Each structure stands twice: as structure tokens, then as C-alpha cells.
Amino acid sequence: MTYVWTAVAVMLSAAAVATMFRMLLGPSSLDRLVALDTLVAVTMCAIGAWAAYSRDTTVTYSLTALALITFVGSVSVARFRVPDVADPAARKRRPR
């Protein structure tokens, strides 16, 4: 059974590293927002895997809190996001 937990840890670590690259190198702010949501989802999966491994359900409360905070943060950033146009003249020409 240790092989399963090791495989889970390796896959979650690889997903977190790949997501961090996308968050650091993303060309737009929406790419970075999606990467941040993905990183939080990977973290939630890691917390869930730790709860299953340790058979300790007290950490599952953090899953609920993390899900709620992430949802509110994502919605607020998506709502109040400024377009990624550097030139002010191009911002006026951009259709909405």
C-alpha cells in the first residue's frame, strides 16, 4: 500500500510543479487565475489524500474553508479584472 501513497505524492507534486510554471509564465492574468485555482485544487487533493492516509478526519474542515475562500476569490477577481492591454489607445478600440 505504500507504493500507492508514494505514487499519489509523486503525481500531486508533479501537478503542483507544472501548475506553478503556468502561474509564473502565464501570458495573461486569466491564465494565472486558472493556474492559481488549479494549484488550490491540487492542494485540496493533497489534503484529502493525507486525510485518507492518516485516517484523520479533522483536516477535512480545511477543505471546506479552502473551497469557499477560493470560490469567492475567483469570482471577485473575474468580476473586477482589468483587461490585459498595455496601450491605453488600444483599450478604447477594444470591443466589449
Side-chain angles (χ1 to χ4, degrees):
M1 197 63 168
T2 348
Y3 296 118
V4 173
W5 297 117
T6 305
V8 167
V10 167
M11 286 189 280
L12 287 173
S13 298
V17 167
T19 304
M20 286 297 292
F21 277 121
R22 174 44 77 191
M23 192 164 32
L24 294 173
L25 302 174
S28 70
S29 62
L30 282 181
D31 286 336
R32 290 183 173 97
L33 178 64
V34 169
L36 181 65
D37 286 341
T38 305
L39 187 63
V40 172
V42 169
T43 304
M44 290 173 60
C45 289
I47 292 171
W50 175 255
Y53 175 74
S54 66
R55 295 182 181 161
D56 182 19
T57 59
T58 58
V59 296
T60 56
Y61 297 116
S62 63
L63 291 174
T64 305
L66 201 55
L68 290 173
I69 290 170
T70 303
F71 173 74
V72 170
S74 296
V75 168
S76 63
V77 167
R79 171 70 176 102
F80 297 112
R81 186 182 81 82
V82 177
D84 289 334
V85 178
D87 184 21
R91 186 177 291 155
K92 291 178 183 177
R93 288 180 275 155
R94 188 172 184 216
R96 294 189 183 233

